[in-house]
């Protein structure tokens, strides 16, 4: 009898150990693109096994999911997306994968910015900031049928740090609900990270405050900085629209060149997700310098200057500061 009891106790212990090990398995999570992936990583830490679909330096506007991506989504317990029509391919990917779990829209609750000037006939480049209200912002969404139409909404909400704080709250709430056993860790990680974001926000505001009032216009490759403009008081103009798939017309480029000359805009900035040749042409024709590379829709690789969201925002404001002060 004793032997049998020992066997039963041993078996029970084995079951308990197996159950305990299973409970410690990290939550399988998918994030749609690298910036969102970093935010999920900051909150989830060791408790999540994260797969990011659009990699560092990848362009989510033109991303083509692979069968491996469908497998990652199928195996996930939680899927995070930006929303605001940023990932035009995501619904099809989820459907193809057969995933039936929660899809968390990280931008939920953000005060979205309409993309001005979709119906305008004349091209003035694409602007955000004080020029946007004067009719200088124009979209050329020629690829709506391919799922990249943003319906007049700017999807790049993470370019405002207060919006990133909203993302973090949504991410933490979703992780806590999906994995209650580690809810305290997610909550603590979110609170610590939010403190870093508040410090980052203050740093950016202080940097912009040092720019001369007549030296606050930034030229970038595509119109990805509307939320930055609204939050921090810079003007952004770009030859391309909201999506990197929208092509700049010759008229748009000519107008932008005229504006750079008229306003003596000192620098234009490359983006890591766009072809540099158009901006190189604009710089050559205007005498503006290439101010460096800024990061709009994707992080850099781990060895680059924008390996995390906070690094990305610090890199961008440092680039703008060097050109505009």
């Amino acid at each position: 009898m004793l032997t049998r009891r020992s066997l039963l106790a041993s078996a029970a212990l084995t079951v308990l150990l197996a159950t305990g090990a299973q409970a410690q398995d990290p939550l399988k999570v998918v994030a749609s693109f690298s910036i969102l992936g970093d935010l999920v990583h900051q909150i989830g830490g060791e408790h999540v096994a994260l797969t990011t679909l659009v990699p560092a330096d990848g362009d989510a506007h033109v991303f083509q999911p692979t069968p491996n991506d469908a497998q990652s989504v199928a195996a996930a317990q939680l899927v995070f997306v930006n929303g605001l029509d940023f990932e035009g391919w995501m619904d099809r990917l989820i459907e193809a994968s057969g995933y039936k779990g929660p899809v968390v829209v990280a931008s939920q609750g953000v005060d979205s910015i309409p993309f001005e000037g979709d119906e305008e006939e004349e091209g003035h480049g694409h602007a955000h900031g004080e020029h946007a209200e004067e009719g200088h912002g124009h979209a050329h969404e020629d690829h709506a049928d391919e799922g990249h139409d943003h319906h007049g909404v700017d999807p790049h909400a993470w370019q405002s740090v207060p919006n990133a704080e909203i993302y973090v709250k949504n991410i933490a709430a979703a992780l806590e609900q999906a994995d209650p056993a580690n809810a305290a860790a997610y909550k603590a990680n979110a609170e610590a990270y939010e403190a870093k974001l508040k410090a980052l926000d203050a740093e950016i505001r202080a940097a912009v405050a040092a720019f001369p009032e007549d030296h606050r216009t930034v030229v970038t490759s595509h119109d990805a900085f509307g939320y930055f403009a609204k939050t921090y008081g810079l003007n952004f103009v770009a030859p391309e629209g909201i999506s990197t798939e929208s092509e700049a017309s010759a008229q748009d480029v000519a107008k932008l060149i005229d504006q750079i000359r008229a306003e003596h805009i000192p620098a234009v900035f490359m983006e890591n997700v766009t072809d540099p040749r158009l901006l190189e042409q604009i710089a050559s024709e205007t005498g503006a310098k290439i101010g460096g590379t800024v990061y709009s829709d994707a992080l850099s690789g781990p060895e680059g200057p924008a390996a995390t969201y906070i690094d990305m925002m610090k890199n961008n404001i440092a680039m703008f500061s060097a050109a505009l002060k």
Side-chain angles (χ1 to χ4, degrees):
M1 196 73 172
L2 185 60
T3 306
R4 191 175 171 211
R5 277 184 189 164
S6 300
L7 286 171
L8 287 171
S10 176
L13 182 60
T14 302
V15 170
L16 280 171
L17 288 172
T19 306
Q22 193 173 11
Q24 295 306 309
D25 284 349
L27 195 70
K28 290 181 180 175
V29 170
V30 165
S32 57
F33 71 118
S34 59
I35 295 169
L36 182 56
D38 178 60
L39 297 180
V40 172
H41 170 69
Q42 298 294 337
I43 311 311
E46 65 185 15
H47 299 297
V48 304
L50 174 66
T51 299
T52 300
L53 298 178
V54 186
D57 291 317
D59 185 353
H61 293 290
V62 297
F63 181 68
Q64 297 290 335
T66 67
N68 281 345
D69 295 323
Q71 289 174 10
S72 295
V73 172
Q77 295 165 276
L78 204 56
V79 171
F80 289 94
V81 300
N82 181 74
L84 302 176
D85 296 315
F86 182 61
E87 307 97 338
W89 39 268
M90 195 72 198
D91 287 347
R92 294 193 301 275
L93 177 59
I94 288 172
E95 186 177 351
S97 74
Y99 175 76
K100 303 295 184 189
V103 177
V104 181
V105 179
S107 65
Q108 185 70 40
V110 162
D111 183 14
S112 63
I113 295 176
F115 185 56
E116 304 288 344
D118 283 357
E119 306 302 323
E120 299 286 343
E121 292 179 6
E122 294 182 16
H124 297 273
H126 305 262
H128 266 294
E130 59 190 48
H131 293 295
E133 294 169 11
E134 297 167 14
H136 294 276
H138 304 270
H140 302 274
E141 298 292 352
D142 299 323
H143 299 269
D145 58 330
E146 296 178 24
H148 300 284
D149 181 13
H150 297 299
H151 306 293
V153 175
D154 185 341
H156 306 90
W158 60 84
Q159 285 293 345
S160 161
V161 178
N163 284 348
E165 293 180 41
I166 294 174
Y167 280 47
V168 166
K169 284 181 170 59
N170 291 334
I171 290 165
L175 289 173
E176 288 168 29
Q177 185 171 355
D179 183 17
N182 292 305
Y186 299 135
K187 189 177 182 66
N189 289 348
E191 288 175 357
Y193 190 65
E194 283 171 12
K196 292 179 181 178
L197 291 180
K198 289 188 187 305
L200 173 66
D201 182 60
E203 185 180 323
I204 294 171
R205 291 179 192 276
V208 172
F211 300 164
E213 287 291 338
D214 60 349
H215 235 214
R216 296 193 175 189
T217 298
V218 177
V219 179
T220 57
S221 304
H222 89 294
D223 199 353
F225 291 91
Y227 293 88
F228 196 108
K230 181 180 179 182
T231 301
Y232 301 112
L234 291 182
N235 302 315
F236 287 82
V237 289
E240 296 177 8
I242 288 288
S243 169
T244 53
E245 281 206 336
S246 60
E247 295 180 6
S249 69
Q251 186 181 26
D252 281 348
V253 173
K255 293 277 188 182
L256 182 57
I257 287 170
D258 288 345
Q259 184 180 350
I260 292 170
R261 287 172 175 159
E263 297 182 20
H264 306 290
I265 296 171
V268 298
F269 294 89
M270 306 295 189
E271 293 174 43
N272 64 321
V273 296
T274 56
D275 187 327
R277 288 174 295 183
L278 178 58
L279 275 198
E280 287 168 351
Q281 174 199 334
I282 290 169
S284 174
E285 292 191 27
T286 59
K289 69 178 180 179
I290 302 291
T293 298
V294 292
Y295 294 80
S296 55
D297 294 22
L299 300 178
S300 69
E303 305 303 318
T308 69
Y309 173 76
I310 288 177
D311 288 343
M312 176 188 81
M313 298 299 284
K314 284 177 178 284
N315 173 83
N316 290 353
I317 192 61
M319 290 288 177
F320 299 150
S321 294
L324 298 178
K325 272 187 179 177

